[in-house]
């Protein structure tokens, strides 16, 4: 257990949920200070002193401040999950690490555009072309995951690891959307395994109404 871990960020924020999911997996005592969205506070000087980018999540662990959700995942993994959720061998670690970058640069931009366009943006303000593009890309990314997961139960191999968190965290929202979904049985099976995890239930499967930001 660590003393003095603080997470800044509203619980409804996708990027905050990834961090809280890992904090729960690691069993770390922590305090959450909800900022951003309806809570505001991201432009306050004391918050900007923590994260000059003015976004959540941010963590402080003892004297160490980290922002950017995937940097936080890597930090917490290296600090508290080495050998379990975050391998110490560089080659082994890279098998999971690549999925963090892939989720951040490929899956998330398409998926978040789709989710926000369908669920957050009022219907009369939707950009239908952007939505169609985002749906097509999201389908391609999930199809890739489905093919990868044909040969193993988790993204980095036989065991759940940090690699599963960013891409896996999108699926609760994805399955909640009212849209045509291709049948991707390996993806569904993976989601089923992730959804059995207590920390996923606590931090990712939040009431849908909360996610309107
Ligand atoms: N690349 C950053 C993105 C951070 C980000 O944009 N966070 C959103 C929440 S998911 C935010 O701070 N939005 C403003 C708000 O919540 O008011 C990360 O992964 O941490």
């Amino acid at each position: 257990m660590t003393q003095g871990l603080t997470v800044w960020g509203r619980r409804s924020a996708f990027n905050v949920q990834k961090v809280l999911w890992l904090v729960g997996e690691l069993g770390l005592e922590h305090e959450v200070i909800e900022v951003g969205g309806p809570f505001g506070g991201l432009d306050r000087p004391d918050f900007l002193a923590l994260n000059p980018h003015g976004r959540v999540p941010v963590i402080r662990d003892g004297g160490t401040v980290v922002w950017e959700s995937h940097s936080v995942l890597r930090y917490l993994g290296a600090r508290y999950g080495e050998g379990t959720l975050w391998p110490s061998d560089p080659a082994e670690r890279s098998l999971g690490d690549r999925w963090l970058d892939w989720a951040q640069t490929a899956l998330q931009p398409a998926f978040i555009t789709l989710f926000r366009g369908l669920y957050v943006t009022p219907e009369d303000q939707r950009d239908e072309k952007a939505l169609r593009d985002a749906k097509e890309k999201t389908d391609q990314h999930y199809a890739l995951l489905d093919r990868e997961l044909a040969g193993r139960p988790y993204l980095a191999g036989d065991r759940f690891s940090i690699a599963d968190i960013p891409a896996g965290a999108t699926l609760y929202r994805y399955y909640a959307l009212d849209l045509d979904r291709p049948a991707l049985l390996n993806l569904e099976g993976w989601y089923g395994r992730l959804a059995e995890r207590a920390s996923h239930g606590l931090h990712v499967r939040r009431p849908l109404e909360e996610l309107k930001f």
Side-chain angles (χ1 to χ4, degrees):
M1 290 281 180
T2 180
Q3 295 297 315
L5 176 65
T6 305
V7 180
W8 281 266
R10 58 189 167 88
R11 291 181 181 275
S12 59
F14 177 70
N15 289 301
V16 175
Q17 291 181 349
K18 293 184 281 188
V19 165
L20 289 176
W21 182 0
L22 178 59
V23 166
E25 293 285 348
L26 293 169
L28 304 176
E29 284 178 10
H30 64 285
E31 175 191 10
V32 177
I33 300 179
E34 296 210 80
V35 287
F39 299 93
L42 301 188
D43 53 359
R44 283 207 326 250
D46 56 337
F47 184 77
L48 290 170
L50 293 167
N51 180 2
H53 185 44
R55 292 283 185 277
V56 289
V58 180
I59 67 156
R60 186 170 59 211
D61 182 32
T64 302
V65 173
V66 190
W67 46 276
E68 281 294 325
S69 59
H70 292 193
S71 294
V72 175
L73 296 180
R74 291 181 172 100
Y75 167 81
L76 291 174
R79 172 77 68 199
Y80 302 109
E82 199 179 332
T84 56
L85 297 182
W86 195 236
S88 17
D89 174 69
E92 199 189 330
R93 190 168 59 235
S94 81
L95 295 175
D97 203 5
R98 66 194 63 177
W99 291 107
L100 268 60
D101 288 337
W102 176 82
Q104 183 84 270
T105 58
L107 174 62
Q108 269 177 228
F111 176 72
I112 297 293
T113 302
L114 181 66
F115 182 81
R116 293 191 65 80
L118 284 179
Y119 193 67
V120 183
T121 309
E123 211 166 333
D124 59 351
Q125 292 169 30
R126 280 180 189 165
D127 178 341
E128 295 295 342
K129 160 105 179 53
L131 266 179
R132 271 197 308 278
D133 289 352
K135 169 77 166 67
E136 195 182 323
K137 282 189 187 136
T138 302
D139 282 352
Q140 286 167 4
H141 295 319
Y142 284 142
L144 180 153
L145 283 179
D146 191 68
R147 289 193 298 277
E148 289 290 314
L149 290 162
R152 55 188 189 275
Y154 296 100
L155 280 180
D158 290 339
R159 285 184 308 160
F160 172 81
S161 76
I162 289 176
D164 297 295
I165 290 183
T170 62
L171 289 176
Y172 169 64
R173 294 173 191 232
Y174 175 62
Y175 288 121
L177 288 175
D178 181 17
L179 82 177
D180 286 336
R181 276 181 290 273
L184 297 172
L185 298 185
N186 301 315
L187 187 79
E188 282 174 35
W190 180 54
Y191 180 58
R193 288 187 285 283
L194 299 180
E196 283 169 5
R197 308 188 73 85
S199 187
H200 180 276
L202 204 57
H203 297 299
V204 180
R205 290 200 306 280
R206 307 282 305 173
L208 282 170
E209 263 312 298
E210 261 186 25
L211 309 181
K212 284 263 180 197
F213 291 95

